[in-house]
Amino acid sequence: MRVIAVYLLIFLRIIDGFAQTKPIPTIHTKQNFLIMYLDGERDKLNGINQTLNPFSYNFGLTKPSVPFRLVSEKDSISMFIRYGETTDFRVIREGKGDTLLCHFTSHEFVKAAVFTDTYKKANEGKTVVEIPETYELFNIVVALTEYGKTEAVYKKTDYYQSMMQQFTPYKNHPAVRTLDSLLAKSGDSYHPLKMDSYAYWFEGDQIRKGGIYDRVSWGDINELTPYVPLLEQFAKQSGFRAFYQKNNQYYQSLILDFQKNVDVAAMKIWLEKQFPATHYSAVKVIFSPLVGWNQSANHFSDNGFTEAQMHINFPFIGQKSQPAAIARGQRMTIAFTELNHSYLNPEADKYDESISAAFGDLSKWTTPNTPSLSYGNALSCFEEYMNYALVTLLYYDLFDTETAEKLRLSTENGMVQNRGFRKFREFDQELLRLYKTRKPGQTVADLYPAIIAWSAKQ
């Protein structure tokens, strides 16, 4: 019996060895995207070649186990994603010449936003402009990091100087060191962390979820949640809440200036006329005087209520040196180019396949070593071309011809020379031509097939 037991033990170890060396599912692609089926629903996994290696993602699922399938132009793989388990697979990135290792996990789905009837009644039809307290706390901590030494933080104000005077003694606080480490690994983490801070508010000295948003950025989890205790500790030790109250008058002056000079309500009216399939019950503009760039946007829907959010920098630009009309246009651009994504993107999704064909060779549309390369797939590149081309159309409708032309030239120069969108000038002028010669009753949404067809010929 002992001999049998020994042989059985050896056999089980051999079997276990085979189980441990089970090959990881692998898919091959030369393209920059994969088709993804999660519980039967089709979506795109874009920007494969720009994805950091290894890549991890946590899905919010309504069931504890769902089938998951990836399809490329060459092959496909199938597996399951389950609560509390990690699903691993590899992508052979033939276009890049390496292998991407992916780790997918999941958790129970939680709505990003819950809009109660009371919230709906209070916000229906409104444009809200805010400098939230927890949002400002996050941006102050960022300003103390190495990332904060870049132009991501706006430094040309007395406010910045007074902020640094108060909080520099806390630059080695664990909250600062932790965010510094996260931002050093990837500057792209700034967007979701900053946006997700809006889900929180102060309750005394404690930071709590505000009861409306679980998260504000685009993922299935609030990226800031693990670091909230550190931010709470920083706020207590540094006297942040007293500083925020002391500067409340300054914050209100910026909000009033924005409301007076940047007519977001007029932008919304224009966009909903041009994209009649899309409507938002309310719009929120969220900013900090410390944000230098890195604007972002998102939108939410619940209980028959839709909300578009813009997370932007305050438009300090052009207030003194430019003619009033030019300054007005420049100051509107920052907000408009975030708000319009909530309209133009849903429309672009309808033409995903034709856009992928027209913008398939991104080297024709972007320039190496420029910001344009961050738009690493056909859809996002097209959307950014449309984003700033819509600015030209708005100028055409709002301003006199001379002002509109000056603003158009400035936009085109910035997009081509500074950002590297090599064909933007031609794209912009073609969309303007289509807009000027459109048939009665036609909208910008109606012009999508024509501008995509033009793009395909380039």
Side-chain angles (χ1 to χ4, degrees):
M1 294 295 292
R2 181 179 177 83
V3 173
I4 294 174
V6 170
Y7 276 112
L8 181 60
L9 180 61
I10 293 172
F11 177 74
L12 289 174
R13 284 178 175 172
I14 291 171
I15 295 297
D16 186 53
F18 279 121
Q20 289 179 14
T21 58
K22 183 180 178 180
I24 298 176
T26 301
I27 189 168
H28 302 72
T29 183
K30 287 185 177 180
Q31 298 177 342
N32 199 25
F33 67 91
L34 296 169
I35 301 300
M36 177 174 69
Y37 294 89
L38 186 64
D39 201 18
E41 290 191 19
R42 186 181 187 275
D43 204 348
K44 250 188 177 182
L45 198 60
N46 285 315
I48 289 296
N49 293 331
Q50 286 72 45
T51 299
L52 293 177
N53 198 2
F55 172 57
S56 298
Y57 193 80
N58 192 310
F59 288 96
L61 303 178
T62 56
K63 294 184 285 188
S65 177
V66 300
F68 175 73
R69 185 167 178 247
L70 281 176
V71 180
S72 74
E73 78 282 10
K74 292 192 166 188
D75 53 11
S76 66
I77 54 177
S78 298
M79 61 207 84
F80 277 85
I81 297 179
R82 297 181 174 90
Y83 289 170
E85 295 184 11
T86 300
T87 298
D88 297 327
F89 62 93
R90 295 184 299 186
V91 180
I92 306 297
R93 301 191 285 195
E94 295 180 1
K96 194 171 183 180
D98 70 354
T99 299
L100 174 68
L101 182 60
C102 301
H103 310 288
F104 281 7
T105 55
S106 70
H107 62 278
E108 187 174 0
F109 175 76
V110 177
K111 286 184 179 181
V114 175
F115 299 130
T116 64
D117 290 340
T118 301
Y119 183 89
K120 289 169 60 176
K121 185 177 180 180
N123 290 277
E124 179 69 44
K126 289 188 177 180
T127 299
V128 179
V129 184
E130 296 181 85
I131 303 176
E133 191 171 10
T134 51
Y135 201 80
E136 194 62 15
L137 170 63
F138 173 81
N139 282 289
I140 285 173
V141 174
V142 168
L144 300 175
T145 66
E146 287 298 310
Y147 184 80
K149 295 178 181 178
T150 70
E151 293 182 2
V153 172
Y154 190 76
K155 303 175 179 68
K156 300 177 183 179
T157 60
D158 293 339
Y159 173 76
Y160 171 80
Q161 299 301 327
S162 65
M163 181 278 298
M164 289 298 289
Q165 184 176 356
Q166 166 136 352
F167 295 103
T168 295
Y170 302 93
K171 66 180 181 179
N172 292 317
H173 189 278
V176 179
R177 294 202 308 269
T178 299
L179 285 185
D180 188 48
S181 176
L182 293 171
L183 295 167
K185 289 179 182 177
S186 173
D188 288 342
S189 63
Y190 171 78
H191 294 86
L193 289 169
K194 179 184 73 171
M195 294 171 73
D196 282 342
S197 70
Y198 185 63
Y200 288 92
W201 67 345
F202 275 96
E203 192 175 276
D205 287 334
Q206 296 181 319
I207 298 176
R208 296 282 184 264
K209 282 274 181 75
I212 300 168
Y213 309 97
D214 174 72
R215 57 199 179 275
V216 178
S217 64
W218 313 283
D220 288 331
I221 60 173
N222 189 303
E223 299 288 346
L224 191 68
T225 297
Y227 316 110
V228 166
L230 290 176
L231 291 174
E232 188 178 282
Q233 184 187 82
F234 177 92
K236 290 178 184 178
Q237 294 177 3
S238 66
F240 164 76
R241 298 209 72 191
F243 175 86
Y244 183 83
Q245 289 301 317
K246 178 182 176 182
N247 286 278
N248 187 58
Q249 187 173 348
Y250 174 67
Y251 303 142
Q252 293 305 313
S253 71
L254 295 181
I255 290 170
L256 290 172
D257 180 274
F258 189 94
Q259 291 171 329
K260 179 181 177 181
N261 294 293
V262 183
D263 193 347
V264 175
M267 297 177 192
K268 182 175 182 290
I269 291 170
W270 189 88
L271 285 164
E272 295 192 351
K273 180 181 179 181
Q274 300 303 330
F275 296 89
T278 304
H279 169 76
Y280 292 97
S281 309
V283 173
K284 283 189 174 180
V285 182
I286 301 129
F287 67 81
S288 161
L290 295 173
V291 174
W293 46 273
N294 278 351
Q295 299 86 15
S296 53
N298 205 356
H299 54 270
F300 308 89
S301 179
D302 179 61
N303 192 23
F305 187 89
T306 53
E307 180 176 282
Q309 285 189 12
M310 298 176 282
H311 294 253
I312 63 174
N313 58 286
F314 181 80
F316 288 106
I317 60 172
Q319 296 182 76
K320 296 180 180 179
S321 59
Q322 299 284 356
I326 297 294
R328 180 183 170 220
Q330 290 178 337
R331 300 190 76 197
M332 290 175 64
T333 301
I334 293 169
F336 184 70
T337 51
E338 290 307 322
L339 179 61
N340 66 21
H341 272 300
S342 294
Y343 294 85
L344 74 90
N345 288 20
E347 196 67 32
D349 288 340
K350 301 175 183 178
Y351 303 95
D352 188 9
E353 291 187 9
S354 56
I355 289 171
S356 293
F359 279 72
D361 185 357
L362 287 178
S363 66
K364 295 179 180 179
W365 301 94
T366 60
T367 305
N369 302 315
T370 68
S372 66
L373 285 188
S374 62
Y375 298 86
N377 61 74
L379 184 61
S380 65
C381 187
F382 170 80
E383 288 170 347
E384 193 64 2
Y385 267 78
M386 282 295 294
N387 181 16
Y388 278 84
L390 287 184
V391 175
T392 291
L393 304 190
L394 181 71
Y395 291 160
Y396 174 77
D397 281 350
L398 293 187
F399 295 99
D400 62 86
T401 303
E402 182 180 355
T403 299
E405 278 297 293
K406 287 181 179 179
L407 289 167
R408 178 183 64 80
L409 290 171
S410 176
T411 299
E412 290 176 357
N413 289 337
M415 286 290 284
V416 177
Q417 296 173 11
N418 300 335
R419 302 189 68 202
F421 291 96
R422 62 172 69 223
K423 286 187 176 291
F424 179 77
R425 188 172 284 108
E426 298 90 333
F427 183 97
D428 189 46
Q429 292 174 22
E430 175 62 14
L431 187 63
L432 181 59
R433 185 192 70 78
L434 290 169
Y435 187 67
K436 287 181 176 180
T437 59
R438 70 194 187 280
K439 296 176 183 178
Q442 275 195 315
T443 65
V444 172
D446 296 325
L447 302 179
Y448 269 57
I451 192 63
I452 294 169
W454 175 89
S455 300
K457 297 176 182 178
Q458 303 309 302

